[in-house]
Amino acid sequence: MTRSAWWRRFLVRGVFWRQLLRFAILNVPPWIEPIIMAFWAAFFLLWGPGRRGVMRNLQVIKPGSTSLANFFRCYRVFWNYAWTIADNVRFKELRTIPDWEFVGWNHFQSMQASSGAILLTAHMGSYDLGAHLFSETSTRRIVMVRAPEEDPETRRFEEHHGAEGLRIEFNTRATELALDLLETVREGAIVAIQGDRVVGPISTFPATFFGRPSTVPAGPFALAMAARVPIYPVFVVRAGRRRYRLVTSRPIEITRSRNRDDDFARAVAQWMTELEAVVRGYWYQWFTFEPAWPEVSA
Amino acid sequence: MNVIADHPEARWLPSRHRFAVGKLIAFAKLRGTTQSVNSAERLIFPIDRDQTAAEMNGVAIWIFVTTVCYIAAALPLIWPAAIIVAIPIAAIVLQFPTVIIGPIVRMLIGDGNHIKIISVIAMSLLVIASSYVAASNSWARYAAWFFFAVLILNGAAAVVVWLLRAPIRAAEERCAR
């Protein structure tokens, strides 16, 4: 191992923190856990780029808020993130499931009954845990599409410690993946994609988010149109210690007309309305550590 | 893992609590609850001893405050300053059982779930520390006495839970139906 590779494992996205989290899940008594969470959430406030990213986003979500207030809000985001990733690892390692509340059950049921669907979600709550729950309780096959871990060692660690019964595809090989996913949806599976931010060189659609120009990944909308399936906005929200709420909204149907741009624009607008309402209500669980609106000054 | 679906009152199942005092309170709540109201359309409650937030957060705060008192009493500072300094120290000290004993246990018995053994060791260390502080002349002895009072109360509650085991089981079965 080279010297540069040695210290990379201790960077914020390095494998060391994943290993430490797994160790903690297998060793920390639950009656000490809240203190440990509070400590480590405070420790990760030292991660400057992440902290600044969250605080910049909060400036837009909560206009007129002060930097001091946003600093404490940022701590709340980190606190919720710590619990969320801990619950996710706890499920993978110990099969411990949290309490679940379902809101929009009729939409959730219609998604399960559909012959193929797109599950569009955001970097909120525990999307991993939600997908695992879905794969355990549903007869439908679920395929998760996500951005790969930046660090190769972290990627290998996550692959090794992944949950069974859940297929994960990475959005790095765009063309092959699109065809593969199209076939998967047509076979009746559900494809889960995060549609709140653009990571890497992927095609996008313009959108308006909190009144400002933004972009969203084009993939889910194009896939839904090609496969002629609905898009279900689903959000997994942390409602307390080991308690989650799965919110399913009314489906987004992409109707085909002569003007495809308008068809996509309508669908994107509906998605942004749903996303904005959820992010406004649960800003402390929107785990976007990069500035969502880069033009907003620090 | 067993789960109960669509019974809001299932959150009060004594089996979803770890400590005897928590189990007794939950049993009282379960008996007093007729039909809880919940905005969710469907619910899933796993039966897990560590599931209840109020119990675990309550114990965590109690342990943290007790540790802060012990550390503050040992610091050569006036007590308000000592408490402020003791807060971050206590947050670090409470991780020692895990970071020191955890790897040793892992080395001895291999990788896996060691929560139970570390829980016992951590609580034993707290009992030893509390015994020392309780016998001292420090102001922190009141925190140590309170610590033992809670342990005794939980012990008494455990006896009551054992005596009530049949009604508790019956109430849980009624809820699960």
Side-chain angles (χ1 to χ4, degrees), chain A residues 111 117-123 127 142 145 190-197 216-221 224 230-236 247-250 252 254 267-268 270-272 274-275 278:
Chain A
M111 179 173 63
I118 311 291
L119 187 160
L120 197 54
T121 187
H123 290 79
Y127 43 87
I142 184 159
V145 183
I190 290 165
V191 173
I193 309 176
Q194 289 163 332
D196 59 333
R197 70 177 193 217
V216 289
F221 301 95
I231 296 172
Y232 286 86
V234 176
F235 303 96
V236 182
V247 182
T248 312
S249 303
R250 69 189 168 90
I252 302 167
I254 304 186
V268 169
Q270 192 183 334
W271 162 242
M272 295 318 281
E274 298 286 352
L275 181 64
V278 174

Side-chain angles (χ1 to χ4, degrees), chain A residues 106-107 110-111 113-120 185 220-233 248-257 259-272 274:
Chain A
N106 54 337
H107 298 313
S110 79
M111 179 173 63
S114 66
S115 52
I118 311 291
L119 187 160
L120 197 54
V185 174
F221 301 95
L223 185 61
M225 182 180 265
R228 294 172 190 267
V229 293
I231 296 172
Y232 286 86
T248 312
S249 303
R250 69 189 168 90
I252 302 167
E253 305 277 355
I254 304 186
T255 48
R256 285 185 181 215
S257 69
N259 191 336
R260 285 198 173 191
D261 289 346
D262 280 357
D263 302 338
F264 282 128
R266 266 195 303 276
V268 169
Q270 192 183 334
W271 162 242
M272 295 318 281
E274 298 286 352

Side-chain angles (χ1 to χ4, degrees), chain B residues 6 32-33 40 43-44 46 63 80 83-84 87 92 104 169 174:
Chain B
D6 302 331
T33 307
L43 298 162
I44 294 175
I63 294 294
I83 285 176
I84 291 167
I87 288 172
I92 294 167
I104 297 169
R169 194 179 306 127
R174 259 198 312 280

Side-chain angles (χ1 to χ4, degrees), chain A residues 9-82:
Chain A
R9 61 191 353 255
F10 296 103
L11 293 179
V12 78
R13 295 185 200 278
V15 72
F16 171 78
W17 303 105
R18 309 294 171 110
Q19 291 167 334
L20 185 68
L21 176 63
R22 182 179 175 272
F23 172 79
I25 292 300
L26 295 173
N27 290 279
V28 173
W31 48 272
I32 301 180
E33 204 178 43
I35 300 159
I36 307 241
M37 288 291 182
F39 175 85
W40 285 100
F43 176 80
F44 273 96
L45 281 178
L46 296 172
W47 175 36
R51 185 188 66 241
R52 284 190 291 273
V54 171
M55 286 174 69
R56 273 197 198 186
N57 294 340
L58 285 168
Q59 269 181 24
V60 176
I61 298 166
K62 294 201 161 281
S65 54
T66 63
S67 293
L68 184 67
N70 283 343
F71 178 80
F72 287 108
R73 287 191 183 113
C74 180
Y75 178 76
R76 196 173 167 194
V77 173
F78 279 43
W79 161 264
N80 274 290
Y81 186 64

Side-chain angles (χ1 to χ4, degrees), chain B residues 18-166:
Chain B
R18 174 167 285 272
F19 301 103
V21 173
K23 283 179 194 288
L24 264 188
I25 294 169
F27 179 53
K29 284 275 199 180
L30 185 63
R31 278 169 60 106
T33 307
T34 47
Q35 188 67 51
S36 301
V37 179
N38 196 296
S39 60
E41 294 154 35
R42 294 213 64 189
L43 298 162
I44 294 175
F45 291 111
I47 312 293
D48 183 293
R49 290 176 73 188
D50 302 320
Q51 205 72 17
T52 308
E55 185 184 38
M56 288 302 156
N57 291 342
V59 172
I61 291 166
W62 164 55
I63 294 294
F64 183 66
V65 170
T66 304
T67 311
V68 166
C69 288
Y70 295 172
I71 292 168
L75 291 173
L77 298 167
I78 55 165
W79 71 266
I83 285 176
I84 291 167
V85 174
I87 288 172
I89 297 174
I92 294 167
V93 164
L94 280 170
Q95 302 187 45
F96 284 176
T98 302
V99 295
I100 293 170
I101 301 162
I104 297 169
V105 174
R106 190 179 167 185
M107 216 160 54
L108 293 174
I109 59 175
D111 193 21
N113 181 356
H114 307 132
I115 292 171
K116 201 170 183 178
I117 188 163
I118 290 178
S119 192
V120 169
I121 293 169
M123 194 49 91
S124 305
L125 290 172
L126 265 167
V127 168
I128 293 166
S130 300
S131 306
Y132 176 77
V133 177
S136 71
N137 289 325
S138 148
W139 57 267
R141 67 184 184 278
Y142 299 112
W145 293 351
F146 182 72
F147 177 86
F148 284 113
V150 173
L151 286 194
I152 291 164
L153 179 71
N154 195 59
V159 174
V160 178
V161 167
W162 185 79
L163 292 173
L164 291 173
R165 62 193 183 282

